[in-house]
Amino acid sequence: MSEPTTWQTLSLPAKLLAMPFWLLRWLPMPLIRFKGAVLGELMFWLIPGRRKVGLINLRLCFPDWPEARRRATLREHYRVFCTCLLSYGKLWFGPEERVRDLVRREGYEHYLAVKDQPVILLAPHFLGLDYGGILHTADHWGASIYTSTHDNPFDQLLRFGRSRFGAPLLIRRIDGVRPIVKALKQGAPLYYLPDQDLGRKESIFVPFFGIQTATVPGLPRLAQLGRAVVVPMVTTLEGNHFVTRYYPAWRDFPSDDVETDTRRMNAFIEQRVLDCPAQYFWLHRRFKTRPLGEPDLYGRKGPQD
């Protein structure tokens, strides 16, 4: 478990990196959106390796789409990605009332209905996930999991932003499930990001858009151990605001079948991607770990992770 990151505990490189974001907090959102669109177009063309990953992911998930639609979706993804990046200045350094004006809620009653129970907030990797998560901590003490192997300046700033309201519990992934279950039983809702490829050892293979995908089956296990209900929440950029949508708590979850529960989670994420395909995080090699005997899908050579 880690102490909340404060300005005093940031490294000098992190503080230097923070300065442009501190200045960006003053810009109005229409201007940030314009700058984000320009920067996103540049990144789309100037980083061919990551563009290739995004296009491969979209081809795998949407094989029936024409290539022009996939490229247009990825270009929009870059524009939104850069807008979210530039907006971190407001999220990290803006006063609380401006953060509340920046991020709006829908379906909040679904969380309030179960908030007196242990709760896992299921937050798939949509580009606005930090905006919904940080606003939630302004009203509710909670916990989240982070990968402790990355300690670059930007990751430090992410932890700083996630710690600015309510001093949430930041639990290192390497610490295992015990502190997570303890936090749930103490009443801390867990902000849980489920959809990254963490390798064969931690995963089972279940479908995601029809592709056998290495998926961590942690959600049903944590829900069972912590006796927690699952409330999904997805945050997207809409116009000049972010919108966090809370969904009804899942019934009959977990079941007695971990694979069935993990399939259910992936199916839910699929539906949210279909709602807003350009804002899912397509630049991660989501399908890099393959079932034994299957080739690498990203055209990489040599040993694969």
Side-chain angles (χ1 to χ4, degrees), residues 136-150:
H136 193 85
T137 64
D139 294 312
H140 307 280
W141 177 62
S144 64
I145 305 168
Y146 74 97
T147 303
S148 59
T149 55
H150 297 94

Side-chain angles (χ1 to χ4, degrees), residues 158-212:
L158 283 175
R159 292 200 298 275
F160 166 76
R162 292 168 184 174
S163 300
R164 66 173 307 210
F165 301 123
L169 296 173
L170 300 178
I171 301 169
R172 299 178 301 174
R173 188 177 297 278
I174 60 173
D175 289 337
V177 301
R178 183 173 296 178
I180 301 172
V181 173
K182 181 180 178 180
L184 285 168
K185 290 182 177 180
Q186 288 176 340
L190 175 67
Y191 197 60
Y192 184 71
L193 284 57
D195 47 335
Q196 283 188 309
D197 189 334
L198 299 181
R200 191 180 310 277
K201 183 178 179 180
E202 297 191 44
S203 305
I204 63 174
F205 285 94
V206 293
F208 183 59
F209 282 99
I211 304 155
Q212 288 297 309

Side-chain angles (χ1 to χ4, degrees), residues 3 5 24 177 203 232 253 280:
E3 293 295 323
T5 302
L24 284 166
V177 301
S203 305
F253 188 94
Y280 188 66

Side-chain angles (χ1 to χ4, degrees), residues 73-104:
T73 298
L74 189 61
R75 288 176 69 179
E76 175 64 15
H77 173 85
Y78 269 94
R79 292 192 289 268
V80 176
F81 175 86
C82 289
T83 299
C84 292
L85 179 65
L86 299 180
S87 300
Y88 273 123
K90 294 181 177 293
L91 188 64
W92 291 340
F93 300 108
E96 182 177 330
E97 60 268 22
R98 291 188 183 175
V99 173
R100 291 186 182 278
D101 183 62
L102 179 66
V103 188
R104 299 174 178 176

